[in-house]
Amino acid sequence: MAQRRTVLTSTSTPASARRNGGQILMQQLRIHGARRVFLVPGESYLPCIDAFNEHQGAIEPIVCRQESGAAYMAEAYGKLTGEPGICFVTRGPGATNASIGVHTAFQDSTPMILFIGQVGNGFCEREAFQEIDYRRMFGQMAKWVAQIDRTERIPEYVARAFSVATSGRPGPVVLALPEDTLWGSAEVVDLPRYTRAHSHPGGADLARMAALLEEAERPLMIVGGTGWTSEAMHQLEDFAVRFQVPVGTAWRRLECFDQRSPNAAGHVGWAMTPALRQRVRAADLIIAVGTRLGEATTEGYTVIESPMPRQKLVHVYPDPGELGRVFAPTQAIVADVASFAGALAALAPARPPQRKARVEAAHAEYLASLVPLSAQGPLSLDAVAAIAADQLPHDACITVGAGNYALYPHRYRRYTGPGTSLAPTVGSMGYGLPAAISAKLEQPERTVVCYAGDGCFQMNLQELGVALQYRVGVVVLVFNNGIWGTIRAHQEREFPGRAIALSFTNPDFAALVRSYGGHGEVVECTEDFAAALARACAFADREKLPALVELRYAADGIAPGETLSGILSAALARQQISGAAHGTFAEAVPQPCGVSVAVTDPVNDRADARR
């Protein structure tokens, strides 16, 4: 039986009346600042569900339709707020479904806590109904995995979970909740709200970095990671202006820098422009702030080589374990992005820099990349993305899942700061819609638009039920071409002319969203898109329900400036075989607006864009 704790400290709160484990846990979540919990209900944690009754108006339960959707929503909440996103799922199947959100939070460095129901302690190690050892299951995809075996220790474990999830490199924590822990009762003190630990750069660190910058002719800053605030972003921009340094955003961290800034150089990573790629390669100093400089940002560790970069590298990161792990930096600085940005205010150039022309040229190249590239067919994805970029408010939140369709909003949208982009760096499909719902719940006055491939959307389209239930007015743009386009591109590259097992039959997405009480329409021509988007946004704002625009197309453009036919031709040339000997690239079918063109397979949803 649990023993009553009688020793209080100056930081603890008075002992409460006897409560069950679910009541203790929910009270701790409230103390630590949780305002919203994403869940799929399960009998394995019923005491926690019951305890919501005691926190109505303080903690909002969001009942999701599938655990992956719930986990994605919690992860998006963590990205938006910097506080751990909270998710509850049941044991076994619930945990396995939710694991994709944990993996996303780990690779995206997002604070998150996943609570999982568990069999009672008396049944452990018998392979009881739905039993899994979560320490083994989540060991490599979470910062900390534990099981709370005693009711009276719930406050201790929860407080530690919040601290671990937000300290150093943020990430997910997984806590298993045995049934006897939740149904058991105890008299315990409620621990105070956690305090996040910050890491600050030292004066010597800043002086050395300033000296390296003083010597550099072609410096480039790359920003990314988590923890950015509007204030920190402005402080870093001021530094870049003073020292005349162009700034690029790391892969899928587009929200980390205001791209309207004259120092903005563009999106660094897969599918970056040739001009920006050359700037990264030719830089004599890279200042990487908050980003791990992963495979995607460095294009397979080629533009910045591992383990020894050609460029001098100043690597600023909150976790010392990351510094020197993949790259040997010229200088390593242990600091979180907000603390580092705040410290930059004290720095000033020893003499006026002479790099203004380089900054202006980098920004001019970035602006040139915003001009829509030409594309064949009645519906141009380049033009559609550019229209949406101009038409949506500058602070709109854009969410994506994974696939080449995401390259269009990545290229043509100028992101303006924290909260304007939610994109999984892990390349996880099905993320866009749950993330959009989470964003709209958190910031209901902000326009939220989800870009989704037809395959990506169908991985979590059931969460439209959440948008209906909670009156969440998100807008969804579905890129419908009926195939897994990114994989088709790889297939044509590696096995040209032998495309197979990549197509599927789609429902009428516009009709589907109407069944959820929303607005849906189909666009098949570029000239119809602007008005359709305006109608969708107006409906979502007015009715507080989802609106969807289905983009039907079959175009050769697999990505901005790249075609599947070009990929195929190059592959055939490499193999020195003719297209006739191995089949044709496409078949003719009726196209939107009465035009007949060759079916190609541009847009898909698996972010395997390594080549």
Side-chain angles (χ1 to χ4, degrees):
M1 179 176 293
Q3 299 297 313
R4 180 172 181 174
R5 297 175 62 180
T6 58
V7 178
L8 302 181
T9 69
S10 60
T11 59
S12 62
T13 57
S16 64
R18 181 169 289 274
R19 297 167 290 172
N20 68 35
Q23 292 171 316
I24 295 170
L25 177 54
M26 280 301 172
Q27 180 63 31
Q28 281 302 125
L29 291 182
R30 182 171 179 175
I31 289 172
H32 289 297
R35 295 178 286 103
R36 190 170 295 116
V37 170
F38 303 94
L39 71 151
V40 175
E43 73 280 6
S44 63
Y45 66 94
L46 275 176
C48 296
I49 298 173
D50 176 74
F52 278 116
N53 285 290
E54 300 163 14
H55 302 281
Q56 295 185 56
I59 301 178
E60 180 184 19
I62 302 298
V63 180
C64 302
R65 303 308 186 258
Q66 210 259 13
E67 290 87 359
S68 65
Y72 280 145
M73 290 185 201
E75 194 277 345
Y77 178 96
K79 272 195 176 85
L80 287 166
T81 67
E83 302 290 336
I86 307 299
C87 182
F88 275 79
V89 298
T90 198
R91 65 193 181 216
T96 54
N97 282 341
S99 64
I100 191 170
V102 177
H103 187 211
T104 300
F106 186 78
Q107 288 221 331
D108 284 41
S109 305
T110 304
M112 174 183 172
I113 305 174
L114 176 68
F115 293 95
I116 307 171
Q118 176 62 300
V119 302
N121 282 292
F123 290 173
C124 284
E125 300 294 340
R126 294 178 175 174
E127 196 183 342
F129 181 60
Q130 299 181 335
E131 180 185 358
I132 296 177
D133 183 341
Y134 298 113
R135 296 181 183 92
R136 294 170 61 193
M137 175 180 170
F138 288 100
Q140 287 191 309
M141 67 172 84
K143 291 187 68 177
W144 179 45
V145 186
Q147 182 164 302
I148 311 178
D149 290 331
R150 296 178 64 87
T151 305
E152 65 268 23
R153 295 191 69 183
I154 290 174
E156 171 194 344
Y157 275 76
V158 173
R160 180 177 172 186
F162 274 83
S163 294
V164 171
T166 57
S167 64
R169 175 187 173 184
V173 168
V174 177
L175 291 180
L177 307 170
E179 286 187 352
D180 48 321
T181 299
L182 295 180
W183 285 95
S185 63
E187 295 182 34
V188 295
V189 295
D190 292 313
L191 297 182
R193 180 178 174 130
Y194 82 103
T195 301
R196 177 176 301 173
H198 291 277
S199 51
H200 300 262
D205 292 327
L206 296 173
R208 185 183 178 197
M209 183 188 71
L212 289 170
L213 194 51
E214 191 79 19
E215 299 169 358
E217 295 181 3
R218 302 177 305 279
L220 175 69
M221 185 178 293
I222 303 176
V223 298
T226 54
W228 289 96
T229 64
S230 294
E231 180 183 14
M233 190 183 70
H234 291 313
Q235 290 168 332
L236 185 132
E237 181 183 1
D238 290 343
F239 168 82
V241 170
R242 289 197 306 276
F243 281 83
Q244 295 179 358
V245 181
V247 180
T249 55
W251 166 252
R252 290 196 156 197
R253 292 299 192 184
L254 295 143
E255 74 281 6
C256 294
F257 193 73
D258 189 337
Q259 287 151 33
R260 298 169 300 178
S261 166
N263 287 65
H267 188 197
V268 180
W270 285 329
M272 73 176 109
T273 64
L276 182 54
R277 181 179 297 110
Q278 179 56 30
R279 285 196 176 274
V280 179
R281 288 183 181 277
D284 55 3
L285 175 65
I286 299 286
I287 302 176
V289 182
T291 174
R292 293 187 303 112
L293 294 176
E295 177 189 357
T297 299
T298 62
E299 289 193 334
Y301 311 104
T302 58
V303 294
I304 303 175
E305 296 178 1
S306 172
M308 180 58 68
R310 295 185 305 274
Q311 311 92 331
K312 291 181 180 179
L313 173 63
V314 175
H315 201 172
V316 183
Y317 203 74
D319 185 351
E322 186 66 33
L323 296 170
R325 185 166 73 94
V326 180
F327 301 94
T330 307
Q331 181 186 8
I333 299 176
V334 181
D336 59 63
V337 295
S339 298
F340 177 75
L344 294 178
L347 292 183
R351 58 180 182 272
Q354 303 300 313
R355 297 185 287 258
K356 183 178 180 181
R358 290 187 176 276
V359 173
E360 292 177 342
H363 188 60
E365 291 165 357
Y366 168 61
L367 293 180
S369 74
L370 301 177
V371 178
L373 298 172
S374 60
Q376 296 181 351
L379 183 67
S380 165
L381 301 184
D382 298 87
V384 161
I387 290 167
D390 291 339
Q391 196 163 311
L392 296 173
H394 70 86
D395 66 343
C397 177
I398 306 299
T399 74
V400 301
N404 275 21
Y405 72 86
L407 297 176
Y408 292 91
H410 286 353
R411 177 176 181 127
Y412 293 114
R413 175 76 177 173
R414 300 176 76 180
Y415 297 85
T416 59
T420 58
S421 173
L422 289 173
T425 67
V426 71
S428 183
M429 296 179 65
Y431 179 87
L433 179 61
I437 291 170
S438 185
K440 192 67 173 178
L441 286 168
E442 183 62 23
Q443 300 172 330
E445 301 307 315
R446 175 176 276 185
T447 298
V448 179
V449 179
C450 165
Y451 285 67
D454 45 2
C456 189
F457 180 61
Q458 290 182 86
M459 288 200 172
N460 267 316
L461 65 80
Q462 75 281 345
E463 302 307 329
L464 285 172
V466 177
L468 168 63
Q469 180 175 347
Y470 296 95
R471 307 288 296 197
V472 181
V474 296
V475 175
V476 183
L477 304 180
V478 175
F479 290 69
N480 180 4
N481 66 345
I483 54 96
W484 301 108
T486 302
I487 309 308
R488 173 67 180 272
H490 291 307
Q491 197 172 58
E492 294 291 2
R493 182 179 290 110
E494 305 298 338
F495 302 98
R498 294 173 57 83
I500 192 171
L502 297 181
S503 62
F504 44 81
T505 301
N506 282 323
D508 184 335
F509 293 112
L512 181 65
V513 76
R514 288 194 289 269
S515 73
Y516 282 93
H519 167 85
E521 57 182 288
V522 175
V523 168
E524 299 177 327
C525 300
T526 303
E527 55 266 29
D528 296 335
F529 175 70
L533 178 61
R535 286 190 294 269
C537 289
F539 176 90
D541 289 342
R542 181 180 67 252
E543 303 297 334
K544 314 301 181 189
L545 287 168
L548 182 149
V549 177
E550 178 183 341
L551 304 170
R552 294 181 182 172
Y553 63 96
D556 194 18
I558 184 63
E562 187 175 10
T563 62
L564 279 173
S565 55
I567 293 172
L568 174 63
S569 297
L572 292 173
R574 284 196 305 269
Q575 295 187 11
Q576 296 182 339
I577 56 178
S578 68
H582 289 266
T584 58
F585 169 71
E587 57 182 309
V589 299
Q591 290 302 298
C593 303
V595 178
S596 181
V597 298
V599 172
T600 60
D601 314 310
V603 186
N604 171 258
D605 312 298
R606 191 68 71 180
D608 183 18
R610 291 171 292 183
R611 296 183 290 270

